[in-house]
Amino acid sequence: MSRAKSEYEVEDIFINQLESIGYTYIQMNNYDDVISNFRKQFCKVNKDELIAAKGTAELSDREFEKIMLRLDNHTIYESAKLLREKWILELDNGKTVYVDFITDNMDRNTYQVSRQITMDKAHKDDVEYKNRYDVTVFINGLPLVQIELKRAGIEINEAVNQIDRYRRFSFKGLFRYIQIFVVSNSVQTKYFANINERNQRGEVQRILKSLVFYWTDCQNTRINRLGEFTSDFFDKYSITEMITKYMVIKETEPVIMVMRPYQIYAVKEAMERILSCNLNGYVFHTTGSGKTLSSYKLASLLRDNPKIDKVFFLID
């Protein structure tokens, strides 16, 4: 009988797989390293704009301070909105540039993975308790996906509870830009969206187990094992699409939501059908579980498509 792999061995396998599909491993020990790396990756994704405006794809300390002032001290919900905006940065020479924090172009984005980053009060003063995270995926230097791994046989909800503790006590600063969490014990893997630490009444918000989802293929076959999940979910095109297209920023709550697999596949099929036909218009009606979110997302994506003139979204 083979020995069960330790959590560190599972991390090794997972990181090696990410490297094999195009992620770059970077060693980061603490929050200072995270900030330093973000500065470099921000310049990379915005290099053309920066070079055109100032002749170099680098930032002065004063310019970078403006960016950090823009990004820091926001709720999860506010951070999610800022992540997706195009922002005007005023440079030291008086010129302004439109900059991106994430794009839907994976050739522009940078994809990195790190492990065992420690957050503590010595490096970020609003951290309440020292914590060290399993594996973090960075896109353009921002920590956007956090993965908590358990060894086989450990209940996966333990990882969810651990993330809840991190959210309350140490996911501060740029770690508030985490969009998606992934939890796995190698044989069972799930994903879910980040949420504000507290609701509008000031009460602590915990992750709802009903909003922790399995991933599936387009035939609705569940993908449980971490290796198969990683190949599909963390493919650079797929994770970019997930974050830029298949999350919803819900203003009425406020909350960010990630779509279930069947909703994503339904929206993709409808988009393909509409955009590939030669008809002047389409009327579509949805029914069943998840119809409101799927309809809203489909209408939003069509509205933003240059091939579509008008979208009417009717609510009974």
Side-chain angles (χ1 to χ4, degrees), residues 3-19:
R3 176 183 63 85
K5 292 181 177 64
S6 69
E7 287 180 18
Y8 201 83
E9 288 172 319
V10 174
E11 283 182 26
D12 272 337
I13 294 169
F14 176 62
I15 290 170
N16 288 339
Q17 188 173 359
L18 288 180
E19 289 183 294

Side-chain angles (χ1 to χ4, degrees), residues 113-170:
V113 58
S114 190
R115 75 192 308 177
Q116 301 294 319
I117 297 173
T118 298
M119 283 290 280
D120 57 19
K121 216 169 183 59
H123 297 90
K124 187 75 176 77
D125 57 9
D126 55 347
V127 170
E128 295 183 47
Y129 297 108
K130 180 178 179 179
N131 286 124
R132 191 170 61 213
Y133 313 138
D134 285 356
V135 181
T136 310
V137 164
F138 293 82
I139 301 179
N140 301 332
L142 287 170
L144 298 190
V145 187
Q146 181 64 39
I147 303 95
E148 290 301 315
L149 301 173
K150 298 296 180 187
R151 67 181 184 275
I154 300 296
E155 171 55 47
I156 198 171
N157 282 336
E158 286 195 22
V160 178
N161 295 335
Q162 190 169 348
I163 284 171
D164 254 336
R165 291 193 296 272
Y166 292 165
R167 286 177 50 254
R168 292 172 61 189
F169 301 125
S170 68

Side-chain angles (χ1 to χ4, degrees), residues 197-259:
E197 298 100 325
R198 296 181 179 273
N199 61 24
Q200 291 172 294
R201 298 185 297 276
E203 300 163 337
V204 171
Q205 286 196 124
R206 301 198 57 144
I207 299 293
L208 297 177
K209 302 300 191 296
S210 60
L211 297 178
V212 178
F213 309 135
Y214 287 104
W215 186 244
T216 72
D217 64 17
C218 61
Q219 300 300 319
N220 207 33
T221 301
R222 189 177 290 176
I223 300 174
N224 276 322
R225 293 191 172 275
L226 179 60
E228 296 168 11
F229 176 94
T230 302
S231 296
D232 202 36
F233 191 88
F234 279 104
D235 172 82
K236 290 196 293 185
Y237 181 82
S238 299
I239 195 65
T240 305
E241 259 202 337
M242 177 68 83
I243 292 173
T244 60
K245 289 186 178 180
Y246 297 114
M247 298 191 73
V248 174
I249 315 298
K250 190 175 179 183
E251 297 188 16
T252 54
E253 303 246 1
V255 68
I256 64 176
M257 304 170 69
V258 63
M259 297 179 73

Side-chain angles (χ1 to χ4, degrees), residues 262-311:
Y262 68 85
Q263 294 172 320
I264 294 171
Y265 294 128
V267 169
K268 284 184 176 182
E269 288 287 334
M271 284 283 291
E272 184 178 349
R273 179 71 177 271
I274 292 166
L275 296 175
S276 63
C277 77
N278 58 0
L279 302 178
N280 290 328
Y282 244 100
V283 176
F284 62 89
H285 169 259
T286 55
T287 185
S289 176
K291 58 186 177 295
T292 305
L293 189 60
S294 299
S295 299
Y296 168 78
K297 178 50 69 173
L298 177 57
S300 299
L301 292 174
L302 289 171
R303 177 199 62 199
D304 296 336
N305 191 295
K307 295 180 180 179
I308 303 298
D309 294 322
K310 280 188 173 62
V311 176

